[in-house]
Amino acid sequence: MEQFNRSELRKKIMTILYQINVYQNNKMSYDVDSIMKEVVEIENEFVKEIVYGVITYQKEIDELANQYLDGWTIDRLGNTDSAILRMGIYELLYTETPDVVCINEAIELAKMYSDDSVRKMINGVLDKIYHNK
């Protein structure tokens, strides 16, 4: 059975959150577990915790993001960017993952999938949340 490290799992979580965002934006119904199964063949507690955590706290996460996104709102970001940011904020606030790891992992994903200005925005938001924790 294939084992993924946490960085690889975060990539998969980003994909899952991306898909959920697309469904939400298009007012389509979806099944979270089916989306997770599609992306991660095996059940994974880490993936489940983060995905369900982001969904559960999405309102709080988005409000916090909007508070720190200068002149922007999270729903103006692309699906990938908002997925990375939501995951980063969730991990920072609601998990035992060391803060520095939460931020670095989000930035690494943003380096791969977001453009420079968005990467800086994500970095800035996570940094402010970290300092105001």
Side-chain angles (χ1 to χ4, degrees), residues 23-36:
Y23 286 126
Q24 286 174 347
N25 291 343
N26 293 303
K27 312 259 184 284
M28 292 161 64
S29 61
Y30 58 91
D31 177 57
V32 177
D33 290 324
S34 303
I35 296 173
M36 281 196 289

Side-chain angles (χ1 to χ4, degrees), residues 32-124:
V32 177
D33 290 324
S34 303
I35 296 173
M36 281 196 289
K37 263 194 201 79
E38 242 169 74
V39 178
V40 188
E41 300 69 38
I42 48 169
E43 274 221 358
N44 183 286
E45 279 314 307
F46 179 69
V47 172
K48 245 198 210 146
E49 181 201 346
I50 306 275
V51 170
Y52 277 109
V54 169
I55 292 167
T56 305
Y57 295 105
Q58 189 168 334
K59 200 171 160 296
E60 290 88 334
I61 290 169
D62 287 4
E63 281 169 7
L64 196 57
N66 291 342
Q67 204 178 312
Y68 294 116
L69 277 168
D70 256 359
W72 274 74
T73 53
I74 195 164
D75 53 15
R76 283 180 61 196
L77 294 175
N79 289 322
T80 305
D81 307 321
S82 59
I84 295 170
L85 186 53
R86 284 181 179 128
M87 177 170 47
I89 293 173
Y90 176 78
E91 266 203 282
L92 207 48
L93 295 182
Y94 300 100
T95 70
E96 296 298 304
T97 308
D99 294 344
V100 103
V101 173
C102 300
I103 295 171
N104 283 342
E105 289 285 330
I107 299 311
E108 285 308 310
L109 283 171
K111 276 183 192 163
M112 283 185 262
Y113 298 101
S114 307
D115 68 35
D116 235 28
S117 58
V118 175
R119 181 184 57 74
K120 287 190 180 111
M121 232 188 290
I122 290 172
N123 192 7

